[in-house]
Amino acid sequence: MVSRAERGPLADWFWTIDRFFLAMFIFLMGIGFMLSFAASPAVAERIGLEPFHFVKRHAAFMIPSIGVMLGLSFLTPRQVRRTAILILIISVAMMVLVLFVGQEVKGGRRWIWIAGLSIQPSEFMKPAFVVVCAWLFAEHARQPEIPGNLFAIILFGIVAALLVAQPDLGQTILTTAVWGGMFFMAGMPWIWIMLLGIGGAGGLLGAYYVFPHVALRIDKFMTGEGDTFQIDTAREAIIRGSWFGQGPGEGIVKRIIPDAHTDFIFSVAAEEFGIVFCMALVALFTVLVLRGLSHAYRERNDFNRFAVAGLVLQMGIQSIINIGVNLELLPAKGMTLPLISYGGSSMVAICVTAGFILALTRHRPEKRAQDRSLFRVPHGMPAE
């Protein structure tokens, strides 16, 4: 245990970090690792790999991911902003590059091979984009003559265009929803809210007519006709699990779901551990988001408020999309469950998000002292 009397980076970090957030992030990653034992061996055997191939890779990805999260949690808000700008520049450049030399999987170019690793740049773009937009919104709120909102709109247009070009409609919707929420918190006029809503509806309608795979998924969702194998199988797994599940390792539906260890890990959890377990998992994500929004509500610094709210909204909306697809409440879309699903880029990137949240929610005594000094009566002046 670190004493409060100690001084130094580690002691300061220990006593200022939001330990609830830290415990929640590590606990959710632990649940994900546990579920990888349930979901991934069947997938590995089906494609001719040794049973614990994905379990070992999951563990290998967890170690650097936790290191990234803890390392970023030491940063000051200014350092978070600078780090996010650097990550955003690199990830956007890689998103442009991936359109030309990226690996095509299921009709989309979203991955690029670097040093033998398959990297999805858009995953790293998301937390950096949120932080940079929070800074732009905050600068406009602090000095209205600075066109921060305009720059945020331009940046959003660039990112959305690159996501559509891949194409990745799910990430486009996620990014748009988070950006719109932050813009709303930044005091967007009602006319902008209406225009954003019309633009979003128009974008979805355009995607339906421009991208055949989008139209196919929406049609299958609305009519129930066509190849709905994965969704139907996921629903069957949830039904089989009932309230308390079939027991660890007793699930059978996971053997035929192609993405059981990534997009449909929630269904695997439902079959083996039951609906009660899944309800508890949903409750954990809900508490995580609500705690972040509560912190943002109390925060006086505009940048911290917008950034924390945007980052927890990103995690929350991504969780809603993943779980909604598993429950057949949303059209099929490949998107991982944060901190739970298997994945290299997604796991490291979500830990970047977690690290930013931990850094921005630290209790900083020097900041509180400065806030109190704003209301202190100067020496020699009578109090009113």
Side-chain angles (χ1 to χ4, degrees):
M1 179 63 68
V2 181
S3 170
R4 287 184 180 270
E6 294 184 27
R7 287 294 180 267
L10 182 60
D12 289 341
W13 174 86
F14 182 81
W15 291 113
T16 59
I17 198 76
D18 189 319
R19 289 187 287 277
F20 179 85
F21 264 137
L22 179 62
M24 284 282 287
F25 291 141
I26 294 178
F27 182 64
L28 285 170
M29 292 185 74
I31 292 177
F33 185 61
M34 175 194 72
L35 290 177
S36 72
F37 279 95
S40 63
V43 178
E45 290 179 351
R46 188 168 60 247
I47 61 178
L49 301 174
E50 63 99 6
F52 293 104
H53 172 81
F54 290 113
V55 174
K56 293 175 182 178
R57 287 180 63 86
H58 193 111
F61 287 132
M62 276 185 65
I63 295 172
S65 297
I66 293 175
V68 166
M69 179 179 68
L70 295 179
L72 291 175
S73 69
F74 279 84
L75 301 182
T76 64
R78 177 176 294 182
Q79 291 170 333
V80 167
R81 185 168 64 244
R82 292 175 176 175
T83 302
I85 292 173
L86 179 62
I87 293 175
L88 183 64
I89 292 173
I90 295 173
S91 59
V92 168
M94 292 177 65
M95 287 173 68
V96 173
L97 186 62
V98 81
L99 298 177
F100 300 96
V101 298
Q103 178 184 9
E104 184 172 345
V105 179
K106 297 181 180 179
R109 289 186 179 271
R110 304 166 194 170
W111 292 267
I112 187 170
W113 283 92
I114 297 178
L117 296 175
S118 182
I119 297 175
Q120 187 175 359
S122 60
E123 291 287 350
F124 296 93
M125 173 278 299
K126 291 187 297 184
F129 172 77
V130 168
V131 172
V132 172
C133 284
W135 172 55
L136 293 172
F137 290 142
E139 286 300 300
H140 181 82
R142 185 172 65 89
Q143 301 182 64
E145 64 273 14
I146 297 178
N149 287 1
L150 177 61
F151 290 152
I153 292 172
I154 294 172
L155 179 59
F156 167 72
I158 294 171
V159 166
L162 289 172
L163 288 172
V164 170
Q166 292 185 354
D168 193 339
L169 184 62
Q171 298 284 21
T172 307
I173 293 174
L174 173 60
T175 303
T176 302
V178 174
W179 181 85
M182 293 171 63
F183 204 177
F184 178 80
M185 287 183 287
M188 175 174 53
W190 282 103
I191 184 65
W192 280 101
I193 296 176
M194 295 174 61
L195 290 175
L196 181 62
I198 294 172
L204 287 174
L205 185 63
Y208 179 85
Y209 287 105
V210 172
F211 300 110
H213 72 282
V214 173
L216 182 62
R217 289 180 178 181
I218 293 177
D219 289 343
K220 287 192 297 185
F221 174 75
M222 298 299 295
T223 64
E225 299 176 356
D227 182 11
T228 58
F229 172 74
Q230 288 208 93
I231 295 297
D232 293 341
T233 307
R235 183 181 65 246
E236 181 184 345
I238 295 172
I239 294 173
R240 277 181 47 82
S242 188
W243 289 104
F244 300 104
Q246 298 291 318
E250 298 300 320
I252 58 173
V253 179
K254 64 187 178 184
R255 301 183 183 279
I256 54 176
I257 302 180
D259 300 316
H261 59 321
T262 54
D263 302 343
F264 291 95
I265 197 167
F266 186 83
S267 297
V268 174
E271 183 182 18
E272 299 205 354
F273 299 98
I275 296 175
V276 172
F277 175 86
C278 290
M279 291 172 63
L281 194 60
V282 171
L284 288 176
F285 280 109
T286 303
V287 170
L288 192 67
V289 173
L290 291 178
R291 183 176 180 85
L293 294 177
S294 176
H295 181 95
Y297 179 78
R298 298 191 306 269
E299 180 62 57
R300 294 186 179 186
N301 182 278
D302 284 335
F303 166 66
N304 286 10
R305 178 166 66 252
F306 298 151
V308 171
L311 291 167
V312 296
L313 278 177
Q314 177 190 299
M315 294 184 69
I317 295 174
Q318 183 170 333
S319 302
I320 289 172
I321 293 174
N322 177 276
I323 295 172
V325 169
N326 278 259
L327 296 177
E328 209 172 351
L329 298 176
L330 294 172
K333 176 67 195 82
M335 190 169 291
T336 58
L337 187 59
L339 301 168
I340 303 292
S341 296
Y342 167 85
S345 294
S346 61
M347 185 181 298
V348 176
I350 202 66
C351 281
V352 171
T353 304
F356 284 164
I357 293 173
L358 291 171
L360 294 170
T361 56
R362 286 176 60 183
H363 306 291
R364 304 182 187 277
E366 67 278 6
K367 183 185 71 174
R368 293 199 300 269
Q370 183 180 7
D371 291 341
R372 287 196 298 268
S373 70
L374 296 176
F375 303 95
R376 186 178 299 141
V377 178
H379 181 70
M381 292 182 62
E384 296 183 1

